[in-house]
Amino acid sequence: MKAIVFTKYGSSDVLQLKEVEKPSPKENEVLVKIDASSANPLDWRLMRAKPFLARLANGLLKPKNTRLGADIAGRVEEVGSNVTQFKIGDEVFGEKFETGLGGFAEYVSVPENALAMKPSNLSFKAAAAVPLAALTALQGLRNEGEIKSGQKVLINGASGGVGTFAVQIAKAIGTEVTGVCSTRNLYMVRSIGADHVIDYTKQDFTRNGKQYDLIFDAVGNHSVSDLERALKQNGNCAVAGFTNMARLFEISWKGGRVSRTGSKKIGMMKTIHTNKEDLLFLKELLEAEKIIPVIDRYYSLNETDKAITYLETKRARGKVIITVA
Ligand SMILES: NC(=O)c1ccc[n+]([C@@H]2O[C@H](COP(=O)([O-])OP(=O)(O)OC[C@H]3O[C@@H](n4cnc5c(N)ncnc54)[C@H](OP(=O)(O)O)[C@@H]3O)[C@@H](O)[C@H]2O)c1
């Protein structure tokens, strides 16, 4: 089968479309014939080993795991002997984030608990946009952010892959949402449900005197003191993204101190945990059209390098899809 492989770290030039062995599913796995995948910042971070600490996990000099691609949507081709919830031909979507990636390929084996039936109203391409970004938004808002209906919620990075899901999930939960993005994305962020929008090129949301019960930050470009200022008493801030290592350490260390000593909580969110319950929760919201994937561009599997180069500009408007079939 064909797959994207990288055997050294670097720019997207290191990505090669190669012929590799088709996987066979283990007892608890499902072999999926992939129709589409989607690109995430995780892919370019692993490809470039950026931050450098990524090398501790994936090889100091060259990548141990040579595959990329966390999100998949496609048809079940084969099932492992212990699989009970899927059969050949089922249309599924899910996640390879915790089990070695490999979504930029024609086939992938996925544990059955990291899959769900594809939302009936979505194409494979649209379903592939969902897993990692929407799980990040959901788990950040709910687990770290402890989101509650009626709250005032601010989403920083509202126009990106994670942010477009965060705006819609926060609205579906019944909150008043403010989305932060640049001028060209103001209309789109309003169109997916944001009650208010802030153009970060004209106004800094941490310095305009407004405060929120919950800030979900998918950019990670503000200091802890800035975020603290924009939070109400007892407010929570979950940070999903980071712009550099200094900011990551500051939010982890200083955010931890603020959270322990004051009434406000600020911290980096944990890496997501893929689970069927959350995928099913998202499927329900998608089928009810409470959330709709925002898709910026489509690239074919042999154009994955171009897709990753585009995502690295940090200007994607929603999700970037890799079409395989
Ligand atoms: N913790 C986890 O498990 C987890 C999982 C997934 C992702 N993440 C992290 O979450 C972050 C976001 O991921 P993503 O998939 O949403 O990335 P993305 O799609 O590449 O984000 C691009 C978006 O960021 C916006 N943006 C860039 N600079 C901004 C700024 N200064 N203020 C507000 N918005 C800005 C851009 O909007 P404009 O063009 O309008 O500027 C663009 O729409 C990444 O750092 C990623 O590594 C964490």
Side-chain angles (χ1 to χ4, degrees), residues 109-163:
S109 278
V110 189
E112 70 170 331
N113 62 6
L115 282 176
M117 294 297 279
K118 177 176 76 63
S120 52
N121 56 336
L122 291 194
S123 66
F124 287 114
K125 272 87 181 151
V130 176
L132 184 65
L135 286 171
T136 304
L138 173 64
Q139 294 181 11
L141 289 167
R142 183 195 60 197
N143 302 4
E144 268 90 0
E146 299 170 17
I147 189 168
K148 286 175 201 69
S149 156
Q151 286 183 325
K152 285 189 194 310
V153 175
L154 179 133
I155 312 291
N156 189 29
S159 53
V162 173

Side-chain angles (χ1 to χ4, degrees), residues 41 45 136 159 161-162 182 184-185 200 218 221 240-241 272 314-316:
R45 287 194 195 282
T136 304
S159 53
V162 173
S182 68
R184 71 190 184 107
N185 286 322
Y200 69 79
N221 58 336
I272 65 138
K314 300 186 181 171
R315 293 279 85 79

Side-chain angles (χ1 to χ4, degrees), residues 30 32 72-76 86 89-94 115-119 124 127:
V30 169
V32 179
I72 57 117
R75 271 200 186 80
V76 173
F86 298 100
D90 280 349
E91 299 186 343
V92 294
F93 76 132
L115 282 176
M117 294 297 279
K118 177 176 76 63
F124 287 114

Side-chain angles (χ1 to χ4, degrees), residues 213-226:
D213 299 294
L214 168 57
I215 296 173
F216 178 73
D217 185 356
V219 182
N221 58 336
H222 287 280
S223 69
V224 168
S225 343
D226 284 347

Side-chain angles (χ1 to χ4, degrees), residues 39-42 44-45 97 132-133 136 155-164 180-186 188 200-201 216-222 239-243 268-273 310-319:
N40 291 286
L42 168 81
W44 62 255
R45 287 194 195 282
F97 172 61
L132 184 65
T136 304
I155 312 291
N156 189 29
S159 53
V162 173
T164 47
V180 181
C181 58
S182 68
T183 319
R184 71 190 184 107
N185 286 322
L186 293 172
M188 183 274 280
Y200 69 79
T201 67
F216 178 73
D217 185 356
V219 182
N221 58 336
H222 287 280
V239 184
F242 61 94
T243 40
M268 293 300 301
M269 71 171 279
K270 294 196 191 89
T271 49
I272 65 138
H273 170 55
Y310 177 57
L311 197 66
E312 279 193 272
T313 64
K314 300 186 181 171
R315 293 279 85 79
R317 184 184 266 175
K319 292 289 300 177

